[in-house]
Structure formats: structure tokens, C-alpha cells
Amino acid sequence: MRLQCHARKRSVRQATEGSGRSSVLNWFCAITLFIPTGGWFLGCSKTEPYNPPDLFYYFASYKVGKNPTTITATDLNHDSLTDLITTNIASDTLSVLLGNGDGTFQEQIQLHVCQEPRSLVVGDFNHDRHEDVAIACSGGDEVQILLGHGNGRFAEGFRYPVHRTPVSVASDDLNGDQHLDLVVALRNDKIKVFLGEGNGELRPGAQYEYGDTPTSVTLSDLDGDGKLDLIVTNGGPMSKGVSIWLGNGDGTFRDPKDYPVGKRPLNVTLADFNNDHQKDLLVINGEKDSITTLLGNGNATFRLGSNSGANAGPNYGLARDFNGDHFVDVAVVNLQSNDLSILFGKGDGTFHYPPRNYRTQAGPFAVTSFRATTMGTEEPGLAIADNGSGSVSIFLHRGLKPS
């Protein structure tokens, strides 16, 4: 009888702060066990490590409020340039950074809002063609609506009490009436639906009690039936990970199906990671420093993909094709190691190792992408909410060079 196994071990890592350059030595070990003779042989040989491309560079940082927790890219003033908006949980504010189109942004417009704004979603809730904002106010146990003026400024709309501690919001038309609706994750194991009236006001909809300590909500049509489905990550110790709720098309959802992932999942990003034209899920796990892929079957069911590593304390992930090979990559911000990891996809639901890591400001908490024109070429940029330093950091793309 012969048993052969292969193990890869990361033995040495050297990082140059600020440059994002890293060097990893990988070893390939083959262990062959010969049971009839009782003998064994162990051999190790060095293999060439994957050398991730160095596509981004730190460009600038901009001050925002205290302890930003989310960041969203949108166009708030109708100039076709990307603006940024953050929730600042410790100063009870939002910060608006109006973009100049070249990766630079104007000084913040700070908006005083509800208590402990934790998350927000942008959309036109009153059909005036200006972007509005819905905020999960975790310290005030309410949802607040801000109505946009189309210039980066807002008027205060209605507030809606919830019970209790809203931590995440998602918005879309759940019931087919052409008005934006809202789904809110509440920390006390509840999901609350609000249905939009089309004038900036909401009315209470269904409420569900399920799972353990929901951490995020995401809306998407997962089975192609034209009805929005709901994805919930549950971060509590009694949870089974990610819950998929099929939508009925009227603002209600069916009983969920659970999928186990890593420990304390925080959020989900959707993309086609294995090029089968089906939506897959990538889950950021807040403990054990891992991310998990769930590969979609096209009918809102999923099969377990692979676990991958970024760096210490992954907190938020964003899926895009960063290197132009038509395979989806992932940008992950790591709260404990204070860096940004770019994981390059292989096109089969797995990622090359090691990632490319870039040093960030203190406490990178969330990341969004935007388009910036530099030297006459439009390339993707990344904007990071730095929770520990009260700033937004901009990383620009170096551009793809012809091979």
C-alpha cells in the first residue's frame, strides 16, 4: 500500500512597508509511506512561488469623521464623477467627499445625523432623480432617511424606529411597485422589511426572527425568477453561517436555507468566480482570517467552494477583475494587520497564493471601487474607510501594460 500526500507550507514572509511588495517562500513536500516494508521517505524541494502583480499604489488620504465604518461610491451631484460617502459611527456623522474625477476629492462635507450610524445605502427613494440615503442608526435603534438635493447636500427625512440595534441595510424594489424598499438587519436576531411609498417615506413590512446576530444583508435575484432574494450573514456563535431567503416578489421571503462557512461571517460579495455564468458568493469571515466561496448552481442553491486566506482580521471584501485576465479577483481589507490584500482569481473559484498586500492607514474597515482618469486613461481605483485614523485612503491602479 502506498499513500502520497502533498502539503504546501509558508515558511518565510518578508514585507516592505508602504510598497506592498512581499516575498514568500513556498515549499512542496511529498511524503511517501510504504506500509509493507515499514519504510518511509520524506522529501522537500523548493518551488517557484506565485508572484502577484503589483497593480495598485497609495495615492492620498482625506479626513472624514470619527471611526468610519462603511464607504459607498456614487454620483451625488450629477457631474458624472464618482463621489464618496462614509458613515462615521463615533461622531454621529456622515462625510461626503465630492470627486474631481482624477482620484482626488474635495474637502469633506460633514452631515450630523442619528446616533451611531453603522451602515447606509444610497438610492432615489422619492423619484426626484437625486440620490437619497437610508442609514442604519445602531445607537438610536432607528433607520433615518436623508433626501438628496443633487449637490452633495441633504434634507432630513423621516426616522423609523426598529428593535433593536440595526447594523446593515440593503435596498431595491422588493414588491414590483417601482419604489425602493429597505431590508434591515437587527442585532437581536431579526430582519425587518420596510416598503417604500415612492415619496421618501416608508411603511413597515414583514419582520423575521431567525439566525444568530445578523451582520449583513444583501439583495439579489439568485435563481433568475425576477424576484429579489435575500442573503444574510450571521455572526453569532450559534449560527450556521449564511442564510438564503427566496423572495416571493411581494416584499416577503420564504423560510431560509443555511450554508456553513467560516467563523463569524461579516459580509458577502457576489460575482461569477468560476466562469459558469452563475452567481457565486464570497464570504468574509471575521475570525480565523479566512474567506469562503460558495459556488452557485443557478437556482439559489450553493455548493461549498474553497477557503482562502488574506491577512489578519479580514473585515470586508470587494470582487472585481483587477488584472484584466477575465477572472474575478478580490480586494480584502484586513483590520488587524492594517493592510489591503488583492487575491487574484484562477477562474475556478480559487485564488492564487500569496496575495499582493499593501500597507494602509490604521484600521481599514471597508472598501469600495471607483473609476479614475489618470494620464488620460481610466482605471479602477479603491477607496478605503480607515476606522482607526478617521480617514479615507485612495489607492490608484497602475494601469495594464501591453505584454
Side-chain angles (χ1 to χ4, degrees):
M1 177 178 177
R2 171 174 170 157
L3 173 65
Q4 181 168 313
C5 65
H6 302 285
R8 293 187 68 178
K9 179 180 179 182
R10 186 174 78 173
S11 58
V12 178
R13 176 175 179 161
Q14 297 173 329
T16 303
E17 183 172 326
S19 69
R21 299 184 181 276
S22 63
S23 173
V24 178
L25 297 182
N26 290 283
W27 296 83
F28 178 89
C29 297
I31 301 175
T32 305
L33 178 65
F34 299 98
I35 291 181
T37 64
W40 59 274
F41 170 79
L42 171 65
C44 288
S45 62
K46 183 180 176 182
T47 62
E48 288 298 321
Y50 172 70
N51 184 26
D54 184 11
L55 296 182
F56 288 92
Y57 64 97
Y58 169 77
F59 179 67
S61 290
Y62 297 89
K63 293 302 294 181
V64 292
K66 192 173 182 180
N67 299 128
T69 51
T70 58
I71 184 166
T72 300
T74 185
D75 181 8
L76 295 173
N77 58 352
H78 302 290
D79 62 358
S80 300
L81 303 176
T82 301
D83 309 312
L84 301 173
I85 184 168
T86 68
T87 54
N88 310 311
I89 196 168
S91 57
D92 300 339
T93 61
L94 305 185
S95 291
V96 173
L97 301 175
L98 297 178
N100 299 316
D102 59 356
T104 66
F105 292 84
Q106 299 173 32
E107 185 176 344
Q108 66 170 319
I109 301 170
Q110 197 163 103
L111 311 172
H112 291 275
V113 292
C114 54
Q115 185 177 354
E116 296 181 12
R118 176 63 178 81
S119 176
L120 66 76
V121 65
V122 174
D124 184 2
F125 287 93
N126 59 353
H127 296 288
D128 66 353
R129 300 185 181 180
H130 303 323
E131 295 279 40
D132 310 312
V133 174
I135 312 167
C137 309
S138 60
D141 295 336
E142 62 184 355
V143 173
Q144 181 179 7
I145 303 297
L146 299 181
L147 300 176
H149 292 313
N151 59 357
R153 306 279 180 172
F154 294 85
E156 184 170 341
F158 287 94
R159 300 189 184 203
Y160 301 90
V162 293
H163 184 73
R164 63 183 165 69
T165 317
V167 294
S168 179
V169 285
S171 181
D172 211 320
D173 179 10
L174 297 176
N175 57 356
D177 64 357
Q178 311 304 312
H179 307 322
L180 285 181
D181 308 310
L182 203 65
V183 179
V184 188
L186 307 177
R187 189 52 62 86
N188 63 337
D189 309 340
K190 292 181 176 65
I191 302 296
K192 177 67 179 177
V193 175
F194 288 92
L195 299 177
E197 300 281 11
N199 59 358
E201 299 182 25
L202 305 172
R203 68 182 187 275
Q207 181 167 292
Y208 303 92
E209 185 166 358
Y210 185 83
D212 184 11
T213 317
T215 52
S216 74
V217 285
T218 304
L219 291 167
S220 182
D221 181 4
L222 298 174
D223 55 2
D225 66 353
K227 302 171 184 177
L228 286 166
D229 308 310
L230 177 65
I231 307 159
V232 181
T233 55
N234 297 285
M238 304 301 293
S239 77
K240 295 183 180 179
V242 174
S243 302
I244 305 297
W245 304 62
L246 294 182
N248 294 315
D250 59 358
T252 66
F253 298 91
R254 302 173 218 170
D255 291 341
K257 179 176 175 59
D258 296 328
Y259 292 88
V261 292
K263 193 171 183 180
R264 201 169 69 90
L266 297 176
N267 52 74
V268 164
T269 185
L270 287 86
D272 179 9
F273 292 103
N274 60 347
N275 281 1
D276 64 353
H277 307 291
Q278 308 296 344
K279 291 180 181 178
D280 307 316
L281 307 181
L282 184 122
V283 185
I284 303 298
N285 302 309
E287 296 184 14
K288 301 297 180 66
D289 301 339
S290 71
I291 61 178
T292 302
T293 52
L294 295 174
L295 301 179
N297 298 315
N299 58 357
T301 66
F302 295 85
R303 60 192 186 276
L304 185 63
S306 64
N307 282 342
S308 303
N311 217 328
N315 200 68
Y316 196 92
L318 175 73
R320 296 287 188 275
D321 176 13
F322 293 120
N323 61 350
D325 62 357
H326 305 292
F327 298 153
V328 176
D329 313 310
V330 178
V332 180
V333 286
N334 305 294
L335 188 59
Q336 295 176 18
S337 53
N338 292 321
D339 58 8
L340 163 71
S341 295
I342 308 294
L343 290 79
F344 293 97
K346 295 181 179 179
D348 60 358
T350 66
F351 300 91
H352 291 286
Y353 190 87
R356 173 67 65 174
N357 296 318
Y358 299 91
R359 181 65 61 182
T360 65
Q361 301 293 324
F365 209 86
V367 60
T368 190
S369 66
F370 67 98
R371 306 294 297 187
T373 300
T374 58
M375 295 181 291
T377 302
E378 188 179 63
E379 297 288 355
L382 296 173
I384 298 172
D386 306 311
N387 183 269
S389 59
S391 63
V392 165
S393 291
I394 305 299
F395 283 77
L396 295 184
H397 201 281
R398 297 184 189 278
L400 299 177
K401 307 296 191 298
S403 57

